[in-house]
Amino acid sequence: MPKRKKPPELTFQQHIADFFVREHGYGVFEQADITDTEHFIAEDQLWAFLTATQADALKKLKDDYGTDARDEVFKALRKDLEHTPLWMLLRNGLKVRGLEFRLYYPKPRSAESAAATKHRENRITFRPHFYFGETNQEIDFVFFLNGLPIVALELKHEKNQTVHDAVAQFAARDHGRKIFKHPFLYLAADTSDVMAATDPRREQNFRWHNTGLTNESVTKDGSEYAVEFLYREVLAKDQLLEALSFFLVRVPQRDAEDDKPERPAFTLFPRYHQSRTVRKVADDISAQFAAKADIGRKYLVNHSAGSGKTLTICWLADRLHSLFKPGTSEKLVDLVFILTDRKSLDTNIREDIENFTHLKDVVGLARKGEDLTRFLAERKPIIVTTQQKFAWVLNEIEKNPELKKLRVAFLIDEAHRSQEGQMGAAIRLPFRKSDEPDDEAPELDPEEQLAKIIREHDLNQMIVAFTATPAPATVTLFGEPFDTYSEAEAIAEGYIVDVAASIISYKTLYNLHCPVVPKLDEEKLYPKGVVSKALQNVAFQDDGLIQYKAEVMLRIFEKDVMPLIGGRAKAMIVTTSRVAGLRYFQIIKEKLKERGAAYKALYAFSDFVHPETNAAISEHAVNELKDGELIEQRFEGDDYRLMIVANKFQTGFNRPLLAGMFLDKPVVDRNAVQTLSRLNRCHEGKDRVVVVDFTNNAKAILKAFVKYRKGTPFEPEEPDQELCPKLHAEILAAGVFTQKDAADLAKLLASGTDAQVQFSVNALRTRFQAKLTDPEERKEFVYLLARFVKSFHFLTCFFTFAPEIKQLATFAEYVGPQLIKAGSVSELMKQIRQTEVIKAAVEYQGVETGGGTVKLRPGGGKKGSGPPPKKVSVQDMIAEIQARFAITDEEALYIKQVTEEKAVDPAIRSTVTTHRDDRIYLEGAYRGQVNGEIQTAYDERGRYEELSDLKYTDTGGIFDIMAVTVIQHHLSFAA
């Protein structure tokens, strides 16, 4: 019998376990070594550490308590763990009967110090396949520091599962177990992505912890996985100890106050790019000082919105404050200034820096001028002030001989705001050498005199400029970015939304009509666009949008669904999430009350904890069910006509009176069939049903529905021998992968390591992403691969195919599922909650005329009334634009919408009326002004592609045509 191949996940785990032992020298625990099975402490290892490092204190304890000394230590530890996070005990130490014990030793400033010897006694050990509980539940890896659990890691292999499955596994655990309380970090990873959390109880707590848009292995020979940085860097001893001694921040509990709800205490851990930036700057400035004995350096940090820039600044200020000259107690940076704008000083920076409670005695927030003077006099190590005070601070440093001796760092938030006037000069001049001439020798003014003085002390200041959008001037001044976290990364990780890609028009929703599912022979007459894809990518949890859609649903329900089945018909509303479903229920309940409606609604869902309020939401309480009553039993009553559902009752829930369905959740293929099947039960008088869809395109829904009508999603047909060769040719013709790629992967699968295979897959995925940039094209190609694999496995039962077809099928089966990673619901909802919804016109209702294209004629150089103005049809204008330019229907909608908006703008009408006889002004300067207002309207709608498209912005382009039309329209009223 052939040897069974090891599952890829186990291969991945073993590879990493071997790395920990080989490269990091970590020890491996047996399960029996973890003797405290409640707190999961390896007691012998902790006791050995205390004995090796703190023998004197242990002797005192033994003198007083004899053989009970060990019990006293663990008794004190368990008691403190009831109210203090383990990492804080590690950082601050443990008190036992008046004696203090260190549970670990951080890295000392000098390798020669006595503390260095104790630091070397720290032991990091890990337990692979960590078991807990009566049923032996498993965590892939748990890491221990001196016998205390500090990190838990779940791994998945992309061949079978993804990082989102690892996150879901953490979130679904029994969190009453202490192993989900004591570690300070919970890591979820697959072979190409990593997510991290300090609290594993909710999927939303996990954040991306990647090196960039795509992780790449540090080792370039293909021997390591794309997430090598995780097991080489993040889980290295120095970084774990650094997290304990520095990066971890405990944010205290906040009581309810005004409009702010109560917030429990929690732990902050930096995202990857945040810790990377802090380390890079600190390491570089330390190297600069070691080499040149000064800190005169400039750093440009290009971090996008959504990067957590304020927190990065706080961590960097903390790190710079704690840097020392090697082997001494002399600080490397004497003063750290955080320069921000007034708004951030009062909100962002203040709130975040106050979370760094260990800095409360060293940070000064200079809200007033006298604060700044006092902090400088007190030598407050970290001072937060506004950017406008920068030149003043440099002047004070110059005037004070003692301040002049100090090494000072300036951290500037949004540096491009600091490039103008006196502040810009103050940044530039400290970095000119005193023996270098100026480019020009302008007449000296007070600013120049100040700058000249500053030049004499240019070696004492370092400046770190943070900006999301570095201007050319900023790059010229600071050089290339020292660290970058791009907008693309922020969008990909769900911290900001690509607004242009997420906006839909209100019109499409409003135009949704109640689709009536026809009889089979009427299928071809089904109204086009009834089942609309209009609300794809919409913010499903946007409160205003839910309000609107709820009203639309109720109107359609009352008009077209309620009369069915002798006036007894019921309907189901399928929502995207439990949070969205709750809002639908609350809003619909209120609307029914306002209407004085004789019917009610119910909300079916699994109990959950609300992500925003942390309140426990139960189906029983929300629906006011009686003890033992089921919601489906309540729904049988005639007074309950609407059932709102969230991940419930989409299968297996059959009620003959269900005759309507509102889909506010994407359902495709088999899922669409199963969901729509809720309406298929017969009942006397039930001859049709109503389906309204807010997410899918008509073709997909109708195709799924037709398949269902036939009784199966697959049509019986003779096997097609030509299908596989045809799909094989189609895949190769796409130009993404080659037959050689398939051959190379086959060799790796036969003889290479799993890490080599995943290295190859990662490279193939990168090529796939580069070749196909459109998300829909990518999906179509992956579907093509899946179809090829499925067809091959089916048709090989009937036919024999060429070896290259089998080879490509194996390739497609292995690589295809790893090309596009399915995002978790929590990641999707994180983006959806930020989506902006723009309301657009339902349909154009403008003035109709019989005239053709209208243009303003150039005047004759003097004022005059000119020819009688013609009334202008916006539709004619669009027809003109469509004749001259290739535009989509969506673009036409926005052209119509903005033109109509400006056509009724009272300010424009007033100006046109006032200057109706001055055609030169209207056709020249004012046309440009209207053009600018039109562009502003596009900017407000997030239509950035049009704003950068020459066919719109050129003279005589679409914006110009719109401006002319708007002016002509107002002239027709002024005539």
Side-chain angles (χ1 to χ4, degrees), residues 137 208 591 877 938:
Q137 296 180 62
W208 290 108
K591 286 181 178 291
M877 175 201 69
Y938 269 72

Side-chain angles (χ1 to χ4, degrees), residues 767-778:
R767 189 201 308 168
F768 161 76
Q769 292 167 344
K771 290 270 189 181
L772 302 177
T773 55
D774 181 72
E776 293 304 318
E777 287 182 3
R778 289 180 182 175

